[in-house]
Amino acid sequence: MTTNTSSIQDSHANHNTLPDEDETRALAGVLQRIVQNAGALLEVSNCSIALTDATGCTVVTRAALPNLGRPTRHTRFQLNEGVAGWVAQYRIPLVINNTRLDPRFKRLGETPVGSMICVPLIDHNEFIGTLTASSPAVNAFSARQLHTLAIFAEQAVLAVVNARRAAQLHAILTASSDGIAIIGDDGRFLQANPAYGEMFAVDLEQLTGAEAADLFSCDDDCSHESCGSLRTVQQALLQRQALPYTEIELLINDASRSVGVSVTPVPASGKPLSLMIARDVTAVRDAIRVRAKFLSMIAHELRSPLNAIHGYLDLVLDDIAGPLNEQQREFIQRARAGSEHLYALLEDLLIIARADSGQLHLNREEASLEEIITNAREELEITAVDNGISVAIDIAADFPPIYVDSIRVQQVLRNLLSNALRFTPSGGDITVIARVRCSEPASPQETQKEWVEVRVRDSGVGISPPHQQRIFERFYQVPRSEGGHGAGQGLGLAIVKMIVELHGGQVLLESTPGQGSTFIFTLPYLQP
């Protein structure tokens, strides 16, 4: 959907992200106040702060008295000489009672200097500069004044460290390919990095100070499914709530874009803030769609010859081409079972492809659950007989009809039965149980709900807890060391979960190693 950038552009504010010049200016102001306060307490008219430059070999004056309303003259001192060099080397304060008698003092300018104090600025054992005070008188400074200047030095270190951290953060935000924005407690953008502005095609000057929720609004009469995701983001911003990673579809500069966003409340010392991170995943979305289209095309191309194989095998089994002896019939039945297995694999690939491309939909109809279960069992009957496993169905004869996508529910049962057969040893048994359950209302305002509950229980090896947590993930396979036989593709249970949740139900697993497993899925009981 098209983002509402017009409201953002109309709400132009005279704010912007904090550039490097403003950070430097802010630090200079803090340092200037420090030297002014230090000079006032020490009752001297000459006080200065010098910081190391990028090379680390030179200190440069950043704030000084007297100021006289003029910019500070950036005097440079080499660290291998003079007072600054000595303080940088030994990292201890230096008091010179008479500068005329101390060779470390180098005279600069015409201002007379009789005595001076120089205190190092140290951050985590790193020398970052000096704080210096001087007087035209000899022996002008006491131990108490040295202690006072050391306190101001600590303030200067804190100011420099905070400024450098802010500069590093600014550099990181500027270099980040993810869009990052900070939103105030009033729901307006405070700051955003360049990537955020580029991602949403909005100028940063127009973005800062604008309502954040306006960027994710869509037309009131819009019924497009992507509007639901936009409203979710908008609601999270309006209510100052956390929002986990959510992908939204946007139309930006007449191009369809897919953007993943998350919102995280940030507790601050003042007013609470929110951090929004956005990532352009259009390339990933397009790659998934291309892959899904390819899988769908391959599956469709293979279905036609498979249907022909099924048809001719069924004709042979019906003795259309003449009677079969017992061995021939067994061979044909096994070929038919193999083609059924291949057809089921194609169906799994198709449903994955449709889900990835957003084209997975249900075709609900009145259906008999008993018939659905029976058909699923018949598809795997030969496999069960070969493995010596019995498959029983426990469902009431008068079980009411249900309103579901019968093809998809049969796919759910086929996948669950196939999984049970793979983890049940010879001589075991599998039981499919179906019941209608009633859930108690959570509040007096709610009504009682009915659910169709289907259990697929086996007497197999069971599944250990670490694997239970991941069993419904795509392409995840329980290792053969767990006792299963026959290799799967790791798609069956992921598709079970997908179809059941698409019906509005849920799927659960109960399993104890060595005692078998029970897969339970529920569907809302919707009468035709």
Side-chain angles (χ1 to χ4, degrees), residues 15 69 86 189 231 254 335 346 353 366 379 420 468 484 500 517:
H15 305 281
W86 191 93
F189 287 107
R231 293 191 182 102
D254 297 325
L346 288 178
E366 180 178 343
E379 290 184 33
Q468 292 181 28
V500 170
S517 303

Side-chain angles (χ1 to χ4, degrees), residues 8 95 141 168 250 277 289 345 392 400-401 412 476 478 494 499 509 518:
I8 297 292
V95 179
F141 300 106
Q168 290 171 350
L250 302 170
I277 298 179
R289 289 181 177 177
L345 176 59
V412 167
Y476 184 79
V478 175
I499 295 175
L509 167 63
T518 301

Side-chain angles (χ1 to χ4, degrees), residues 195-378:
Y196 195 95
E198 293 173 6
M199 198 172 298
F200 293 96
V202 180
D203 187 88
L204 291 183
E205 288 190 9
Q206 297 168 337
L207 185 68
T208 308
E211 289 280 356
D214 289 347
L215 192 63
F216 302 94
S217 62
C218 57
D219 300 334
D220 294 335
D221 58 349
C222 177
S223 59
H224 194 277
E225 59 183 12
S226 62
C227 264
S229 299
L230 284 172
R231 293 191 182 102
T232 299
V233 177
Q234 190 180 46
Q235 195 72 9
L237 293 172
L238 290 172
Q239 297 182 1
R240 320 289 188 264
Q241 295 176 338
L243 177 71
Y245 180 83
T246 302
E247 291 188 8
I248 55 178
E249 295 291 330
L250 302 170
L251 190 63
I252 301 175
N253 290 340
D254 297 325
S256 175
R257 312 297 296 175
S258 184
V259 179
V261 299
S262 64
V263 179
T264 305
V266 179
S269 57
K271 296 180 179 179
L273 306 174
S274 293
L275 176 67
M276 172 175 276
I277 298 179
R279 173 171 294 180
D280 191 333
V281 293
T282 306
V284 177
R285 178 203 66 185
D286 292 343
I288 290 175
R289 289 181 177 177
V290 168
R291 184 186 65 185
K293 185 176 180 180
F294 174 76
L295 285 176
S296 181
M297 178 188 69
I298 294 297
H300 278 293
E301 289 296 324
L302 291 175
R303 285 176 88 182
S304 296
L306 264 181
N307 283 329
I309 292 171
H310 287 171
Y312 282 111
L313 290 175
D314 287 339
L315 290 175
V316 174
L317 289 173
D318 290 338
D319 296 330
I320 299 299
L324 300 173
N325 59 41
E326 185 176 343
Q327 190 178 49
Q328 289 172 333
R329 185 170 298 278
E330 180 183 355
F331 289 166
I332 297 297
Q333 286 175 339
R334 292 187 180 279
R336 183 68 169 82
S339 65
E340 283 285 359
H341 177 74
L342 184 55
Y343 191 85
L345 176 59
L346 288 178
E347 284 295 311
D348 286 349
L349 291 175
L350 269 177
I351 197 170
I352 289 291
R354 288 170 181 164
D356 287 343
S357 61
Q359 298 177 350
L360 181 59
H361 306 290
L362 297 178
N363 296 314
R364 296 180 186 267
E365 60 183 357
E366 180 178 343
S368 166
L369 182 57
E370 181 181 11
E371 183 178 342
I372 292 173
I373 297 174
T374 301
N375 290 341
R377 181 180 65 174
E378 288 178 353

